[in-house]
Amino acid sequence: MRVAHSTVLKQCSGQWIRPNFIDRGEVIPAQVLGAILCTLKNPAQDSQRHKYEEERQIMKFTIERNSLLKTLNHVQSVVERRNTIPILSNVMLEASDDMVAFTATDLDIAVIENTPANVAVKGSITVPAHTLHDIVRKLPDGAEVELSLAEGERLTVKAGRSRFQLACLPKEDFPVMSAGDLPHRFKLMSEELKRLIDKARFAISTEETRYYLNGIYLHVAEGDSGSNLRAVATDGHRLAQVEQEMPDGAMGMPGVILPRKTVGEVRKLVDEFEGGVDISLSDTKVRFTFDSTTVISKLIDGTFPDYTRVIPIGNDKMLEMDCKVFAEAVDRVSTISSDKTRSVKLSMDSDVLTLSVTSPDSGTATEEVVAGYQADALEIGFNSRYLLDILQQIEGDSVQVQLADPQSPTILQDQLDEAALYVLMPMRV
Amino acid sequence: MDDNRPELHLHMSSKLVGQEGAERAFLDAYNDDKLQHAWLISGPKGVGKATLAYKVACFMLASSAEGTSAGASLFGDAISPDSLTVDDNNPVKQRIISGSHGDLMVINRSVNVKTGKLRNDIVVDDVRKLSKFYSQTASEGGWRVAIIDAADEMNINAANALLKNLEEPPEKALLLLVSHAPGRLLPTIRSRCRQLALKPLGDDAVVDILRSQYPALNDSDYKTLAALSGGAPGRALELAEGDGLGLYGRITSLMMTLPRLDIPALHQLADSLASIKADSDYRLFRALFQDIMQRLIRFSATGQVAPAALIAENQLFETLGPTRGVDQWLDLWEKMAEQFTSADAVNLDRKQILLTCFGKLAGRA
C-alpha cells in the first residue's frame, strides 16, 4: 500500500505526526499504518494516560491575552487569507526561556515577534494564524491564555472556561526566510522612517511589467551638501524623492528596491513603536528591527532606472501659493472632470492662478486662487488625482511649483521640507 | 484546495529509475559551471520527467543552502557533487514536500475560482506568477527554481508570457519545463531551452518497479502492464492502480467482435466510462485505445507484430489490418485524436465520443 505523507496527515485530521515517523514513499504495510492511526485517534481510556501526557508535553506556556493579541496583530497581517498550501496559513510558535517567538510569512516577507511568556515546556509548533488570532480576539480582556501541546495531540488553547484544540503542523514544514549576511546596518528614528515612506510610497507603480518600479528605491545619493540617504518612487507619471541625513553605517550600502508590500507592513509597524529602527541590508535582503519585532523581506531583483534624468533643472517660472487653498480648489473643480482623465487646467497670469475643468459630458468649472507668479502667462494641465496626492504630502503652508512649459515635467516642493521633491508630468488639455 | 500536493509528494518520494544518463548530463553542466537557465525535460508520459525535475530542484536548493551556510571552501574548490540525490532528512527536502520552500515555484493547471474546477490548460495568470517570483530576490538566499508541469498544457497566451522569462532570466534562476510532446511547444520556447530527453525503460526494469509496489500480481500481469506502459514506469503504476488490465481486456475483446460490433457490450463500456466519477478510467481508456490503434497502424504499415506480452492483439491486427490502407488508417487515427481533444476542450458527451470512435471502426471495417 502506497500512502502519501499528506494523505496520512489528512487522515489524522491534522494531528501532528513527526515527519520522520513515516518514511515517505516507502511501502508501509496496511496493518502498521492502521496501528499508527489507531494510536493517534485512540481516546483517553486509561488513567495512566494523563500522567503520560504530562511527560509527553512538547510545548507549554501561558501568556496574557492582550500581549498575545498585540503580537498576533503584528504578525498575522502578512499571512494571506487564501492559501493553497496549508502551512503558509500558519504562524510558528517557538517557546524558549521566558520568551515566545511568533513567526508569520507569505514567502516574501517574514515578521517575527518575541513576547515574554511564562514558559513551562520549551518547544515549537505551527498553527493557523487567522484562527488563533480570531480566538484570542474574542477572549475576555486580561485573561490568561494557556497554550499546550502534547505529543500526537492538537494544540490546546485554554483561557478561563474556554478550551480550543487546533490542528497543527510541524515546525520543520515551515518556510525559512534566511536573512543571510547583512553587512550594512544603520539606525533611523521611527519618525524619520515614517517620513521617508509616507512621502514616497504614493508614487509607487502598480504596473507589473515594470516590476522594478513596484517599490521604493532606497540608496545613497551624493548631493551638494554631501551624501544623503534617499528614497525614490515613481510610476512614470510622477516621482517622489525624499532625502534624509546620512545615518551612521549607511555609507556604502547598495541601492535596494523595497517591495510595495514590505513598505506597507513596515509602515504599519512604525506607528506601533517609538524610538529607533535598526535597518540591516544586503543586496538581496533587508531586515527592520523594531524593539521586539523583526521584519525580514526579499528585495526587488532589478535595476531602478536613472531617475535623475527626468528631474528638470532649468525650470525658471516660479509659482507659489497656499497649499491648503490650492488643494481644496483642485479638489472642487475636479468634481466636474470625467472619471478617466481627471485633468485640470492651470492658467497663470501675474499673481493669479485660474483652475479650470471642461468636460463635454458634465459641464465646466473654474476657480481663481491668489498666487505668487511673476513670469509670462502659461497654461498647463495636470492629473488632479496626482496633484492632490502630492499636495497631501506637503507639510508647510505654501507650495512652490517650478514650471518650464506645458510639455515639460514640473517640480513641486515643500517650503517646510526642502529635502522632499516631487516631479509631475503635465497632461495635454 | 491542496490538489497538487499528493502529486508533488509522489514525485518527491518516487525513486527515479533508469535515467542515470539524464542525471549525469545535468550534473556535468552543474559541475562545469555551465548550467543552462532553462531545461526542457521530454519523454513519454510516466517515464519520470516530473520526478527528475523535482529531484533537480531539490538538489539545487539543498546545495545552495549548504553553500550559503558554509561559505566558500577554505581550500580552493569544493568537491563537485556526483549525485543528484538529497538525503531524506535534509530540511530543504522537508520544506519542498510541505510546499513551503520560498525558492521553488511549481506551475501547473490551477483551479478556476469561479467554477471550482481544475482548468484544462495552464493560463496566462499562472505563468505571470513566475514573473513575480523572478522579480524578487531569493527567500533562502540561493537559487530560484521553477517547474512547469506540464509545459504542453500551457495555452498560447501562457506560452507567450513565458517567453519573456525565458529570454531574460535573472541570475541564479533555473526553469525546468516538463513536456510529453516537445514538438508541440512553440519553437521559440524549444530553442531557448536545453533539451533533456528521457528514454523509455526496458520491460524488465518496469516489471521490477511494479513488483516492488504491487507485490500481489502474477508474472503475466506484470509483463502485460510493462508492455502496455511503453517503458514508462509511472504509466505502468497508473495502469496497475486503476485496473488498467481489466479495461484493456474489455477494449480488446470488444475490438475482437469487429466488424460486427457487439453493440450492447459497447454501450456498457461507454456508460461505465462516461460518468463524471470515472474520469481517471476514461483517461486510461483513451490512452490504451490510442496505443492499440497506434500498434495497429504500425502493423499495417510495416508488419511489425505486437510485443510478446500483448499476443492477443496480433489476431486483431490480422483481421482488422488488411481492411483498409495505411493512409486510411492514419486518416482515421487523426480524426479520432481530434475528436478526443475537442471532447475535452468543449466538454462533449464522452459516451457519444466512444460510440462514434467504434462506429467509425465498424463502419469501414
Side-chain angles (χ1 to χ4, degrees), chain A residues 232-296:
Chain A
V232 179
T234 180
D235 64 1
H237 304 288
R238 56 211 167 133
L239 178 144
Q241 173 191 307
V242 196
E243 283 185 347
Q244 172 68 46
E245 205 177 294
M246 195 72 178
D248 283 344
M251 204 63 211
M253 71 169 237
V256 295
I257 309 172
L258 309 175
R260 191 211 336 267
K261 191 172 176 189
T262 310
V263 170
E265 290 300 325
V266 169
R267 178 64 186 83
K268 261 189 252 169
L269 286 168
V270 168
D271 277 340
E272 304 266 331
F273 296 94
E274 285 180 7
V277 183
D278 280 312
I279 303 173
S280 327
L281 50 83
S282 65
D283 53 4
T284 55
K285 286 283 162 53
V286 63
R287 185 177 65 203
F288 295 87
T289 312
F290 304 85
D291 201 14
S292 57
T293 310
T294 306
V295 178
I296 301 173

Side-chain angles (χ1 to χ4, degrees), chain A residues 2 173 284-285 298-299 301, chain B residues 10 94 100 135 137 139:
Chain A
R2 203 175 144 93
D173 284 2
T284 55
K285 286 283 162 53
K298 294 184 186 180
L299 296 169
D301 191 8
Chain B
L10 192 72
Q94 178 65 36
S100 66
S135 76
T137 52
S139 74

Side-chain angles (χ1 to χ4, degrees), chain A residues 186 188 193 196-197 215-221 228-233 242 244 250 253-258 279 281 286 288 299 304 307:
Chain A
F186 54 94
L188 283 177
L193 183 60
L196 282 179
I197 292 178
I216 293 182
Y217 181 45
L218 192 67
H219 61 298
V220 175
N228 285 310
L229 184 67
R230 191 184 274 179
V232 179
V242 196
Q244 172 68 46
M253 71 169 237
V256 295
I257 309 172
L258 309 175
I279 303 173
L281 50 83
V286 63
F288 295 87
L299 296 169
F304 203 78
Y307 64 91

Side-chain angles (χ1 to χ4, degrees), chain B residues 164-327:
Chain B
K164 177 84 183 151
N165 294 306
L166 268 175
E167 276 161 11
E168 294 169 14
E171 267 180 50
K172 283 198 164 186
L174 182 69
L175 183 64
L176 302 165
L177 293 132
V178 169
S179 171
H180 316 302
R184 271 197 296 221
L185 290 174
L186 288 181
T188 36
I189 289 185
R190 250 177 300 141
S191 66
R192 280 162 180 78
C193 300
R194 169 154 174 196
Q195 297 222 23
L196 199 58
L198 301 195
K199 303 227 161 36
L201 270 61
D203 280 0
D204 293 342
V206 179
V207 168
D208 284 346
I209 294 170
L210 279 169
R211 211 186 292 275
S212 70
Q213 301 281 349
Y214 293 92
L217 300 177
N218 64 40
D219 273 0
S220 78
D221 284 352
Y222 287 136
K223 286 201 177 109
T224 317
L225 283 171
L228 286 175
S229 75
R235 272 208 64 197
L237 291 173
E238 199 184 4
L239 286 168
E241 197 174 306
D243 189 30
L245 282 177
L247 194 58
Y248 173 71
R250 287 174 77 183
I251 300 171
T252 42
S253 58
L254 187 60
M255 287 179 91
M256 292 295 188
T257 66
L258 286 167
R260 292 193 52 208
L261 196 57
D262 180 355
I263 302 292
L266 171 63
H267 274 264
Q268 213 179 3
L269 178 71
D271 277 334
S272 68
L273 293 176
S275 77
I276 301 168
K277 280 183 206 149
D279 185 65
S280 61
D281 283 348
Y282 171 76
R283 284 176 198 286
L284 273 187
F285 161 79
R286 187 180 145 171
L288 285 169
F289 181 69
Q290 287 185 317
D291 282 356
I292 296 174
M293 288 299 292
Q294 245 174 20
R295 284 191 288 268
L296 176 58
I297 294 169
R298 200 173 298 140
F299 171 80
S300 66
T302 64
Q304 186 186 340
V305 294
L310 308 176
I311 199 86
E313 278 182 27
N314 282 333
Q315 197 191 334
L316 187 68
F317 294 170
E318 267 151 36
T319 40
L320 276 182
T323 55
R324 54 189 97 181
V326 180
D327 55 332

